[in-house]
mmCIF file of all heavy atoms in Angstrom:
data_model
loop_
_atom_site.group_PDB
_atom_site.id
_atom_site.type_symbol
_atom_site.label_atom_id
_atom_site.label_comp_id
_atom_site.label_asym_id
_atom_site.label_seq_id
_atom_site.Cartn_x
_atom_site.Cartn_y
_atom_site.Cartn_z
ATOM 1 N N SER T 100 -63.650 84.502 38.482
ATOM 2 C CA SER T 100 -63.218 83.569 37.436
ATOM 3 C C SER T 100 -64.428 83.084 36.656
ATOM 4 O O SER T 100 -65.554 83.056 37.170
ATOM 5 C CB SER T 100 -62.500 82.368 38.050
ATOM 6 O OG SER T 100 -61.296 82.777 38.656
ATOM 7 N N PHE T 101 -64.193 82.700 35.418
ATOM 8 C CA PHE T 101 -65.226 82.171 34.538
ATOM 9 C C PHE T 101 -64.794 80.806 34.049
ATOM 10 O O PHE T 101 -63.605 80.506 33.980
ATOM 11 C CB PHE T 101 -65.458 83.127 33.362
ATOM 12 C CG PHE T 101 -65.879 84.500 33.814
ATOM 13 C CD1 PHE T 101 -64.941 85.480 34.077
ATOM 14 C CD2 PHE T 101 -67.219 84.789 34.017
ATOM 15 C CE1 PHE T 101 -65.317 86.739 34.526
ATOM 16 C CE2 PHE T 101 -67.609 86.040 34.472
ATOM 17 C CZ PHE T 101 -66.662 87.021 34.723
ATOM 18 N N PHE T 102 -65.753 79.979 33.697
ATOM 19 C CA PHE T 102 -65.458 78.592 33.342
ATOM 20 C C PHE T 102 -65.995 78.319 31.950
ATOM 21 O O PHE T 102 -67.198 78.212 31.745
ATOM 22 C CB PHE T 102 -66.026 77.671 34.426
ATOM 23 C CG PHE T 102 -65.526 78.093 35.776
ATOM 24 C CD1 PHE T 102 -66.294 78.908 36.592
ATOM 25 C CD2 PHE T 102 -64.252 77.763 36.184
ATOM 26 C CE1 PHE T 102 -65.815 79.361 37.810
ATOM 27 C CE2 PHE T 102 -63.756 78.211 37.402
ATOM 28 C CZ PHE T 102 -64.532 79.010 38.210
ATOM 29 N N ASP T 103 -65.076 78.258 31.019
ATOM 30 C CA ASP T 103 -65.387 78.182 29.598
ATOM 31 C C ASP T 103 -65.808 76.779 29.171
ATOM 32 O O ASP T 103 -66.666 76.621 28.327
ATOM 33 C CB ASP T 103 -64.156 78.645 28.808
ATOM 34 C CG ASP T 103 -64.431 78.846 27.356
ATOM 35 O OD1 ASP T 103 -65.491 79.396 27.031
ATOM 36 O OD2 ASP T 103 -63.574 78.466 26.541
ATOM 37 N N LEU T 104 -65.199 75.786 29.751
ATOM 38 C CA LEU T 104 -65.455 74.416 29.338
ATOM 39 C C LEU T 104 -65.334 73.517 30.561
ATOM 40 O O LEU T 104 -64.310 73.524 31.241
ATOM 41 C CB LEU T 104 -64.437 74.011 28.267
ATOM 42 C CG LEU T 104 -64.606 72.664 27.597
ATOM 43 C CD1 LEU T 104 -65.952 72.574 26.888
ATOM 44 C CD2 LEU T 104 -63.486 72.448 26.583
ATOM 45 N N VAL T 105 -66.377 72.763 30.851
ATOM 46 C CA VAL T 105 -66.380 71.822 31.968
ATOM 47 C C VAL T 105 -66.741 70.465 31.388
ATOM 48 O O VAL T 105 -67.742 70.337 30.676
ATOM 49 C CB VAL T 105 -67.395 72.253 33.059
ATOM 50 C CG1 VAL T 105 -67.435 71.241 34.189
ATOM 51 C CG2 VAL T 105 -67.052 73.642 33.585
ATOM 52 N N ARG T 106 -65.921 69.464 31.683
ATOM 53 C CA ARG T 106 -66.158 68.158 31.077
ATOM 54 C C ARG T 106 -65.627 67.040 31.976
ATOM 55 O O ARG T 106 -64.965 67.296 32.961
ATOM 56 C CB ARG T 106 -65.517 68.092 29.698
ATOM 57 C CG ARG T 106 -64.030 68.329 29.699
ATOM 58 C CD ARG T 106 -63.535 68.770 28.315
ATOM 59 N NE ARG T 106 -62.107 68.906 28.253
ATOM 60 C CZ ARG T 106 -61.399 69.933 28.739
ATOM 61 N NH1 ARG T 106 -62.004 70.909 29.369
ATOM 62 N NH2 ARG T 106 -60.093 69.975 28.622
ATOM 63 N N ALA T 107 -65.927 65.798 31.586
ATOM 64 C CA ALA T 107 -65.485 64.628 32.334
ATOM 65 C C ALA T 107 -64.780 63.679 31.383
ATOM 66 O O ALA T 107 -64.951 63.757 30.165
ATOM 67 C CB ALA T 107 -66.679 63.935 32.985
ATOM 68 N N GLY T 108 -63.988 62.785 31.945
ATOM 69 C CA GLY T 108 -63.291 61.807 31.121
ATOM 70 C C GLY T 108 -62.767 60.675 31.973
ATOM 71 O O GLY T 108 -62.842 60.696 33.202
ATOM 72 N N VAL T 109 -62.216 59.687 31.299
ATOM 73 C CA VAL T 109 -61.623 58.533 31.970
ATOM 74 C C VAL T 109 -60.274 58.268 31.328
ATOM 75 O O VAL T 109 -60.142 58.278 30.100
ATOM 76 C CB VAL T 109 -62.514 57.272 31.843
ATOM 77 C CG1 VAL T 109 -61.856 56.078 32.521
ATOM 78 C CG2 VAL T 109 -63.885 57.518 32.421
ATOM 79 N N GLN T 110 -59.283 58.039 32.168
ATOM 80 C CA GLN T 110 -57.938 57.691 31.706
ATOM 81 C C GLN T 110 -57.743 56.205 31.947
ATOM 82 O O GLN T 110 -57.802 55.743 33.069
ATOM 83 C CB GLN T 110 -56.929 58.530 32.494
ATOM 84 C CG GLN T 110 -55.495 58.285 32.156
ATOM 85 C CD GLN T 110 -54.610 59.224 32.976
ATOM 86 O OE1 GLN T 110 -54.857 60.413 33.058
ATOM 87 N NE2 GLN T 110 -53.591 58.661 33.580
ATOM 88 N N ARG T 111 -57.532 55.463 30.887
ATOM 89 C CA ARG T 111 -57.354 54.009 31.009
ATOM 90 C C ARG T 111 -55.907 53.652 30.707
ATOM 91 O O ARG T 111 -55.173 54.436 30.158
ATOM 92 C CB ARG T 111 -58.281 53.291 30.052
ATOM 93 C CG ARG T 111 -59.744 53.619 30.314
ATOM 94 C CD ARG T 111 -60.675 52.777 29.464
ATOM 95 N NE ARG T 111 -62.035 53.244 29.530
ATOM 96 C CZ ARG T 111 -62.878 53.003 30.512
ATOM 97 N NH1 ARG T 111 -62.497 52.288 31.533
ATOM 98 N NH2 ARG T 111 -64.108 53.473 30.486
ATOM 99 N N GLY T 112 -55.530 52.454 31.042
ATOM 100 C CA GLY T 112 -54.194 51.996 30.718
ATOM 101 C C GLY T 112 -53.422 51.528 31.931
ATOM 102 O O GLY T 112 -52.451 50.813 31.809
ATOM 103 N N GLY T 113 -53.846 51.907 33.106
ATOM 104 C CA GLY T 113 -53.191 51.444 34.325
ATOM 105 C C GLY T 113 -53.923 50.243 34.879
ATOM 106 O O GLY T 113 -54.705 49.578 34.195
ATOM 107 N N VAL T 114 -53.689 49.972 36.135
ATOM 108 C CA VAL T 114 -54.354 48.859 36.805
ATOM 109 C C VAL T 114 -55.863 49.098 36.870
ATOM 110 O O VAL T 114 -56.655 48.199 36.636
ATOM 111 C CB VAL T 114 -53.770 48.668 38.225
ATOM 112 C CG1 VAL T 114 -54.517 47.589 38.986
ATOM 113 C CG2 VAL T 114 -52.292 48.348 38.149
ATOM 114 N N ALA T 115 -56.249 50.332 37.178
ATOM 115 C CA ALA T 115 -57.667 50.697 37.261
ATOM 116 C C ALA T 115 -57.862 52.017 36.528
ATOM 117 O O ALA T 115 -56.942 52.836 36.446
ATOM 118 C CB ALA T 115 -58.084 50.832 38.722
ATOM 119 N N PRO T 116 -59.036 52.249 35.990
ATOM 120 C CA PRO T 116 -59.282 53.538 35.323
ATOM 121 C C PRO T 116 -59.224 54.689 36.321
ATOM 122 O O PRO T 116 -59.568 54.522 37.484
ATOM 123 C CB PRO T 116 -60.678 53.387 34.725
ATOM 124 C CG PRO T 116 -61.306 52.239 35.429
ATOM 125 C CD PRO T 116 -60.204 51.388 35.966
ATOM 126 N N VAL T 117 -58.768 55.840 35.825
ATOM 127 C CA VAL T 117 -58.732 57.058 36.633
ATOM 128 C C VAL T 117 -59.743 58.014 36.025
ATOM 129 O O VAL T 117 -59.692 58.311 34.828
ATOM 130 C CB VAL T 117 -57.314 57.682 36.637
ATOM 131 C CG1 VAL T 117 -57.318 59.008 37.386
ATOM 132 C CG2 VAL T 117 -56.305 56.714 37.244
ATOM 133 N N HIS T 118 -60.664 58.490 36.839
ATOM 134 C CA HIS T 118 -61.705 59.400 36.361
ATOM 135 C C HIS T 118 -61.206 60.836 36.491
ATOM 136 O O HIS T 118 -60.468 61.175 37.415
ATOM 137 C CB HIS T 118 -62.992 59.178 37.151
ATOM 138 C CG HIS T 118 -63.562 57.824 36.902
ATOM 139 N ND1 HIS T 118 -64.545 57.599 35.965
ATOM 140 C CD2 HIS T 118 -63.266 56.624 37.435
ATOM 141 C CE1 HIS T 118 -64.834 56.312 35.939
ATOM 142 N NE2 HIS T 118 -64.075 55.703 36.823
ATOM 143 N N LYS T 119 -61.638 61.664 35.521
ATOM 144 C CA LYS T 119 -61.181 63.041 35.479
ATOM 145 C C LYS T 119 -62.363 63.991 35.369
ATOM 146 O O LYS T 119 -63.301 63.736 34.626
ATOM 147 C CB LYS T 119 -60.261 63.272 34.266
ATOM 148 C CG LYS T 119 -59.047 62.374 34.240
ATOM 149 C CD LYS T 119 -58.110 62.707 33.106
ATOM 150 C CE LYS T 119 -58.711 62.407 31.759
ATOM 151 N NZ LYS T 119 -57.782 62.653 30.651
ATOM 152 N N GLY T 120 -62.289 65.068 36.115
ATOM 153 C CA GLY T 120 -63.197 66.191 35.964
ATOM 154 C C GLY T 120 -62.345 67.357 35.498
ATOM 155 O O GLY T 120 -61.407 67.747 36.186
ATOM 156 N N MET T 121 -62.621 67.890 34.313
ATOM 157 C CA MET T 121 -61.749 68.903 33.715
ATOM 158 C C MET T 121 -62.463 70.236 33.572
ATOM 159 O O MET T 121 -63.655 70.278 33.280
ATOM 160 C CB MET T 121 -61.246 68.408 32.364
ATOM 161 C CG MET T 121 -60.391 67.146 32.492
ATOM 162 S SD MET T 121 -60.142 66.300 30.927
ATOM 163 C CE MET T 121 -61.694 65.460 30.723
ATOM 164 N N ILE T 122 -61.693 71.295 33.766
ATOM 165 C CA ILE T 122 -62.215 72.658 33.722
ATOM 166 C C ILE T 122 -61.248 73.515 32.928
ATOM 167 O O ILE T 122 -60.037 73.457 33.167
ATOM 168 C CB ILE T 122 -62.303 73.263 35.145
ATOM 169 C CG1 ILE T 122 -63.079 72.370 36.095
ATOM 170 C CG2 ILE T 122 -62.851 74.677 35.093
ATOM 171 C CD1 ILE T 122 -62.749 72.620 37.558
ATOM 172 N N ASP T 123 -61.750 74.301 32.002
ATOM 173 C CA ASP T 123 -60.965 75.381 31.414
ATOM 174 C C ASP T 123 -61.428 76.651 32.107
ATOM 175 O O ASP T 123 -62.558 77.107 31.895
ATOM 176 C CB ASP T 123 -61.172 75.485 29.900
ATOM 177 C CG ASP T 123 -60.306 74.491 29.137
ATOM 178 O OD1 ASP T 123 -59.562 73.729 29.787
ATOM 179 O OD2 ASP T 123 -60.378 74.483 27.906
#
Side-chain angles (χ1 to χ4, degrees):
S100 294
F101 301 90
F102 307 97
D103 190 42
L104 186 60
V105 178
R106 59 201 184 282
V109 179
Q110 179 178 312
R111 301 187 190 281
V114 175
V117 175
H118 295 264
K119 302 185 293 183
M121 297 165 282
I122 307 158
D123 278 0

